[in-house]
Structure formats: structure tokens, C-alpha cells
Amino acid sequence: MKKHNEKIDDLIKETLNAEEAKFYDELEEQDLFGMVGGVFKGKMKWFAIVMNIVNLLVFGLLIYCIAEFINMEETADLIKMAVAIGACIMMMSMIKLYMWMQLDKNAILRELKRVELQVAALSSK
């Protein structure tokens, strides 16, 4: 299957001009670090930065809550801290889930651009 895809890629590159071929090469599959870096580009990079700052703050709050939980003796206070620890963990999980969804969205957009470019190349041929 991989050889078949490589043949199609070569066929498409032959039909494209130099600028389009360069753009097609930029749409190659990325590794994990490239995908994470892609989240911090574009129109929503400010939101990704804010979400990571919030994630760090919540992590600090989680560490504080765990330290307080260890030192408490009253059952009511232990329950309150346990709920706070659970809330911190859930919030951090949701932020990470949002980031992974952004990674997936960027990968899907990249593949859509590749398909559009392939359709354009094949229709001009």
C-alpha cells in the first residue's frame, strides 16, 4: 500500500508547478513535536498559550491541595480537599483533551488540503 501511495504522490508532483509542489511537500505527515508546534500557530495560538498557562496554574493548585490533604486531620476538611484535588485533575484533563483535539483538527485540515491539491492536479491533467 505504501508503494502505491508513493507512486500517486510522484504522479501528483509531476503535474504541479514548482510553487504547488513546494506547498504539497509542506503538507507531509508531521511527528508529534511538529503537531504540538502547529497548535501554537495560526489564529488561535493565543488561546493555546492561555490554556497552557491555566494548566500550569491548576497543576500548582493541585500540588498545594495534595500537600494540604496530607497534613489535615478533620474528616470534613479532608473531603473538601479531596473534592478540590478531583476538580483540579478533571480541569487539567479537559485542557489536555482540548489540545489533543486541536492536534487532530490540524491533521485533518492538512489531509483535506492534500486531497484538494490532488483533485486540482488531476482535474488540470
Side-chain angles (χ1 to χ4, degrees):
M1 182 76 178
K2 190 170 187 170
K3 298 233 180 218
H4 181 67
N5 286 343
E6 290 173 3
K7 288 179 184 177
I8 291 173
D9 287 344
D10 292 338
L11 253 169
I12 291 169
K13 287 179 184 177
E14 289 173 7
T15 60
L16 300 174
N17 62 31
E19 183 180 320
E20 291 171 337
K22 182 182 176 220
F23 178 71
Y24 186 76
D25 287 336
E26 290 175 0
L27 295 176
E28 289 290 323
E29 191 171 337
Q30 296 176 330
D31 62 344
L32 182 62
F33 294 112
M35 292 171 69
V36 170
V39 172
F40 295 99
K41 295 177 184 171
K43 295 178 183 177
M44 294 297 288
K45 71 178 178 182
W46 67 270
F47 193 66
I49 292 169
V50 168
M51 292 297 273
N52 277 307
I53 291 170
V54 169
N55 200 19
L56 287 173
L57 293 174
V58 171
F59 180 69
L61 181 63
L62 174 68
I63 298 299
Y64 172 77
C65 289
I66 290 172
E68 289 295 314
F69 182 82
I70 291 171
N71 294 329
M72 289 188 174
E73 295 178 8
E74 293 292 321
T75 305
D77 292 335
L78 285 170
I79 291 172
K80 289 177 187 175
M81 270 308 140
V83 169
I85 289 170
C88 288
I89 290 172
M90 284 193 309
M91 189 168 181
M92 289 174 59
S93 298
M94 290 300 186
I95 291 172
K96 293 201 185 302
L97 183 63
Y98 170 78
M99 290 300 173
W100 281 104
M101 287 173 38
Q102 293 304 310
L103 292 177
D104 188 47
K105 180 189 78 164
N106 289 343
I108 290 171
L109 286 175
R110 189 179 318 97
E111 290 301 317
L112 275 175
K113 288 178 183 179
R114 286 184 65 153
V115 169
E116 287 175 350
L117 194 57
Q118 289 174 355
V119 167
L122 292 174
S123 67
S124 67
K125 195 173 186 182

